[in-house]
Structure formats: structure tokens, C-alpha cells
DNA sequence: AAGTGGTCTAGACCACATA
DNA sequence: ATGTGGTCTAGACCACTTG
């Protein structure tokens, strides 16, 4: 039986949640792994099953775990259905969400601009990988992306053959660099398209463009990727419920 | 002791939640009212306190109730901090969110366009109130609004003196028409400004514009207001977290 | 001091998934 | 049949707010 660590003034279920969170952060439990059952966790940490349950439910709410009745509790594989991209109309074709084809236009080592360096916590003089990518559906360009990676964590990504890079980058980061993207922050703004972007996306210059900036982080909050994506605004439609 | 109604195959806490929800929908409990304590509710409906608690927690999660340690459980007053408007930069001035001044340009009875009539569930030939409103900060126009109300529920709104209509409409709907706005759906798109909108907002024609459509509903889901708002896109900035 | 919600226990029984 | 999570009980004690 492990002891619960941390501030003893905190509720047990919160201290237990923190202990379980650490198991994931420190990669002892990986995405897809099954956790011990409620009763086992309760016994292991010396709390009642109801208390263990409360901790598990909280971690589900946070998006770290997933529970399946009769099967068990699992470390959730982050997926990015919540990404603002899902609100581009072309993304969902015939009701089914499709991953667009992707074409890498550039992949080089480079010095990141100041705001990217700050976001990725790159020290002065620290290096980065810069990538330019175009995403297409039925051969038609729909999103242009500019991507920056911190060189120290992602260096091996430079060695990957282009043929081995599919339309999804995060599984590659995971397999090649051992870095799991656990969450991200996104922000959305609108601009009038610059000539170069307009050419890439085959729009007239000045057409409204949605700009989505994303900072992806690991389980321990380490910044792993900075990405700026641009798409035609007339194909964007966001819907939400408020109370 | 009341009996729990509804499908007996459903869990008790869900049937209890539904019963409590009805108390709010049917206006026996109004926003701001305090509910009986956990123990009283448990005794009233013949369940264990833990079960009553589970129902209450669910209703808090849904946004219907609010609990305060040591004080009690209350019917929440809906507020619209989650509105997409909050992502217009001018909305928050010096960190404090301000309600902009508002100027009503038009308020008349009119036949609603088809999509508005459908949203507001107005029958063929049913009437509506149409309003045009401009919202300003420091005398500068920032958002132009087009508003439609169903005549049968909101007729009395036509009689209110313009001086008695402040910058917030929902309290007026509540006091004058007895209709409480409990929630809303919003959707966001982008367009190039038409000449008339550009003139109202003092922009050059064709400048990118954020369009937010909102459908506001009562506790029983009755549509109460349809609203389309337009603001300059260069002042819009949306931020979100994804997992 | 009394009343409220928040935490916690030590179980029982049920519904679901899997071998 | 076994093991999992989901529901439920009947309390106890604690932390917070208010009269």
C-alpha cells in the first residue's frame, strides 16, 4: 500500500488524483494502458472505494482518463476533435470527418522568431526546426501551415524520410522523438490574406482568412510545437452553446 | 414525501434531477431562490443523501444550479460571460468587462424572414418584432445588431418607453414579458462587410466582419429571441484549450 | 450554536464486457 | 463465471456561513 503524499490539508481524493496524474506524466502509465480497478486503487492507496472513484471521475473530467463500463479505466489517447479546425466546412465531407492530404513544402533548421522562441521556451541562440506545409482535399489547397519545433527535443524529426511522414504529425513526434502531445491551446483571429497566402490557397488577395495559432504541450506542459494555420474564412463556421 | 416519477429503469439520481429541473422550468423555483438542503431533498424524495447529492451535482454541471458551501443550493441566474462577444478586444477595457452603450435605431412590428420564423417557431402569418441596434464604446460604434422577437410572447416589449430600455435587453424581457432567457446557441462566421454595415461601423466596404447569430431560449427551450450581430474582425480574438 | 454543503467510509447490489 | 465500472445506502465527521 502506497502512502498518499502532498499537502495533508488537501482532500484525499485530490491527493490521490495528483498521484495518479504523476503516473501518466512520468510515463509509467502510457496512453491506452489500463489502470488497476477502483477497488485495487482504493486498497493500494488506503482509501475507501468511493474516494478512489471520486479521484478517477475527476481525472476523466480533466480529459486524462477514459472509463468503459465493464472493461476498465484507461489512459486516454488525446485526440484533437475539439480543434477549431473541425469548424472548417470542408473538414467533414458527407458527415464523416476526413484527414486531408498534406504536402511538406519546407523542412529546415532555423532560428525562430522571438514570439515563437518565447512560446517554445527556446533559450537565446537555441535552435528550432521550421516547416511549411500545405493541406489539400481532393487536390485543392485548403489550409497553409507554418510549424516550429524546439530543436533539443525534436532533433530526430529532421532525419525522418518525407515518405514516412503521413498527414498526422503527432504520432511521428511520439514514435521518433518520444514526445507525446497531451493538449494544446488554440487562438483564432481573422486577417485579410497577404499575396503569398492568397497564392498558396488560390484566393484573391485581401480575401478574409482565419488564422489559428496552436501551442501543443506534453503531459508535463513542456511546449512541443508551435503552429500557425491559415484557411479561407468563407468556409469557417463555429457553433457553441452558452448559459 | 414525493414519489419519483418517470421511467423506473433510469437511475434514481437522474429521475430526481429531472424532477428538480421541472421545479425550475415551471417557475416554482426562480433564479436566485434557495433550494431545500440535501438532507431535506433526500427525505422528500425518499433517497439517500448521497443520491440526492449526485442529482444536485449533475444540475450544477448543467448550469441550472449553483452551490455555496455553508449557504445553500440556488437556482443560477444565467449570465452570458461565455458569449462569443467576450472575444472582441474592446469588450474588456483595462481588464474590466464593460457593457457598451446601446442605441436603438428601429423597433417595429414586421413579418420575419423565413429562416428567422423557423428558428423562432413562428407559424405562417405569425407576427414578430424587429429591432435594429447599434452598440458603442466611447461613442464609437463597435457592433451592429438585428433582432427579432416572437410577437405572441413578447408583444408588451413594443410598449416599453425607449428611455426604460438599458443596454441589456434580457432583464427587460423578464420583467415586462415574464420570459426568462436561460440559455442560447451562438454560431460564428466571417464575411466581407456590405456597404450598409461598413457605413454603420465606420469601416471601409469589404473589410472582414465577424457575424454572430444567437438564438436565445427559455428554461423549457422556447425560442425567445433571434439576433445577428456584426463587428469588425480585426478586433476579434478567440482562445481555447483542447485535449 | 445551528444549518449548510464537502469529504469519507464500508460496504451492497446491478449492468456490462469478456473469456 | 469473473471482473469491471455504475448506482445506492446510511450514516459520520469536517469546513464554512450566518444569526
Amino acid at each position: 500500500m502506497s502512502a498518499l503524499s502532498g499537502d495533508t490539508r488537501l482532500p484525499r481524493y485530490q491527493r490521490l488524483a495528483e498521484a495518479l496524474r504523476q503516473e501518466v506524466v512520468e510515463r509509467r502509465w502510457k496512453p491506452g494502458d489500463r489502470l488497476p480497478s477502483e477497488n485495487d486503487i482504493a486498497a493500494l492507496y488506503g482509501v475507501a472505494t468511493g474516494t478512489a472513484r471520486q479521484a478517477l471521475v475527476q481525472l476523466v473530467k480533466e480529459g486524462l482518463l477514459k472509463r468503459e463500463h465493464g472493461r476498465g479505466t484507461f489512459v486516454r489517447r488525446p485526440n484533437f476533435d475539439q480543434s477549431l479546425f473541425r469548424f472548417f466546412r470542408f473538414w467533414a465531407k458527407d458527415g464523416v470527418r476526413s484527414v486531408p492530404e498534406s504536402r511538406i513544402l519546407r523542412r529546415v533548421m532555423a532560428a525562430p522568431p522571438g514570439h515563437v522562441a518565447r512560446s517554445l521556451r527556446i533559450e537565446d541562440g537555441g535552435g528550432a526546426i521550421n516547416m511549411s506545409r500545405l493541406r489539400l482535399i481532393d487536390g485543392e489547397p485548403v489550409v497553409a501551415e507554418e510549424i516550429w519545433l524546439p530543436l533539443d527535443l525534436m532533433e530526430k524529426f529532421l532525419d525522418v524520410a518525407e515518405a514516412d511522414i503521413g498527414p498526422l504529425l503527432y504520432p511521428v513526434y511520439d514514435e521518433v522523438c518520444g514526445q507525446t502531445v497531451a493538449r494544446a491551446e488554440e487562438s483564432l483571429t481573422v486577417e485579410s490574406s497577404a499575396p503569398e497566402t492568397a497564392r498558396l490557397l488560390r484566393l484573391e488577395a485581401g480575401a478574409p482568412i482565419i488564422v489559428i495559432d496552436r501551442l501543443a504541450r506534453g503531459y508535463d506542459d513542456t511546449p512541443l510545437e508551435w503552429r500557425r494555420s491559415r484557411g479561407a474564412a468563407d468556409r469557417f463556421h463555429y457553433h457553441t452553446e452558452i448559459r
Side-chain angles (χ1 to χ4, degrees), chain A:
Chain A
M1 159 179 154
S2 320
L4 278 182
S5 61
D7 190 335
T8 56
R9 289 168 307 184
L10 288 174
R12 293 187 194 198
Y13 77 92
Q14 279 186 29
R15 288 190 288 151
L16 176 52
E18 179 55 30
L20 301 177
R21 216 178 275 120
Q22 282 308 310
E23 297 289 329
V24 175
V25 168
E26 288 158 23
R27 286 186 149 259
R28 283 188 292 279
W29 292 341
K30 297 197 177 61
D33 285 0
R34 197 180 81 180
L35 271 62
S37 72
E38 294 187 347
N39 286 325
D40 289 353
I41 287 179
L44 270 165
Y45 289 91
V47 298
T49 62
T51 304
R53 185 181 181 73
Q54 205 175 345
L56 291 167
V57 165
Q58 173 169 314
L59 293 172
V60 168
K61 210 170 57 188
E62 289 175 17
L64 189 70
L65 303 180
K66 168 184 63 173
R67 314 193 81 191
E68 294 182 29
H69 193 167
R71 301 219 317 124
T73 302
F74 303 84
V75 180
R76 186 163 158 269
R77 276 177 222 283
N79 74 356
F80 286 72
D81 283 358
Q82 294 312 309
S83 167
L84 293 168
F85 286 111
R86 96 189 190 77
F87 298 104
F88 278 102
R89 287 204 186 86
F90 48 72
W91 227 252
K93 207 118 191 180
D94 310 322
V96 183
R97 186 137 57 254
S98 61
V99 177
E101 175 198 349
S102 95
R103 191 177 301 161
I104 294 179
L105 308 178
R106 184 178 70 235
R107 179 171 44 146
V108 296
M109 231 181 332
H115 69 283
V116 172
R118 276 187 296 279
S119 293
L120 292 176
R121 287 194 217 137
I122 295 173
E123 311 284 320
D124 277 6
I129 299 170
N130 175 231
M131 197 160 29
S132 171
R133 199 164 73 138
L134 195 59
R135 314 201 70 175
L136 311 93
I137 289 185
D138 301 333
E140 196 191 345
V142 289
V143 169
E145 293 179 321
E146 180 194 350
I147 298 175
W148 290 89
L149 309 173
L151 188 59
D152 54 347
L153 297 172
M154 302 299 227
E155 190 160 17
K156 286 184 180 155
F157 183 77
L158 279 173
D159 305 330
V160 182
E162 181 153 345
D164 295 341
I165 304 178
L168 298 176
L169 296 176
Y170 294 174
V172 183
Y173 299 163
D174 199 315
E175 287 154 30
V176 176
C177 311
Q179 301 293 340
T180 308
V181 172
R183 57 183 159 276
E185 304 145 34
E186 285 188 340
S187 73
L188 180 156
T189 53
V190 179
E191 65 180 29
S192 292
S193 64
E196 194 193 325
T197 312
R199 189 178 48 74
L200 269 176
L201 296 176
R202 295 187 203 148
L203 304 167
E204 42 187 323
I209 292 282
I210 295 276
V211 183
I212 295 175
D213 285 1
R214 177 194 288 177
L215 182 63
R217 298 176 183 272
Y219 282 117
D220 60 352
D221 283 340
T222 312
L224 297 176
E225 181 204 62
W226 183 95
R227 183 187 290 210
R228 174 166 288 168
S229 310
R230 293 183 163 93
D234 60 1
R235 308 177 91 169
F236 185 83
H237 185 282
Y238 180 66
H239 189 93
T240 187
E241 171 110 354
I242 61 180
R243 295 168 189 279

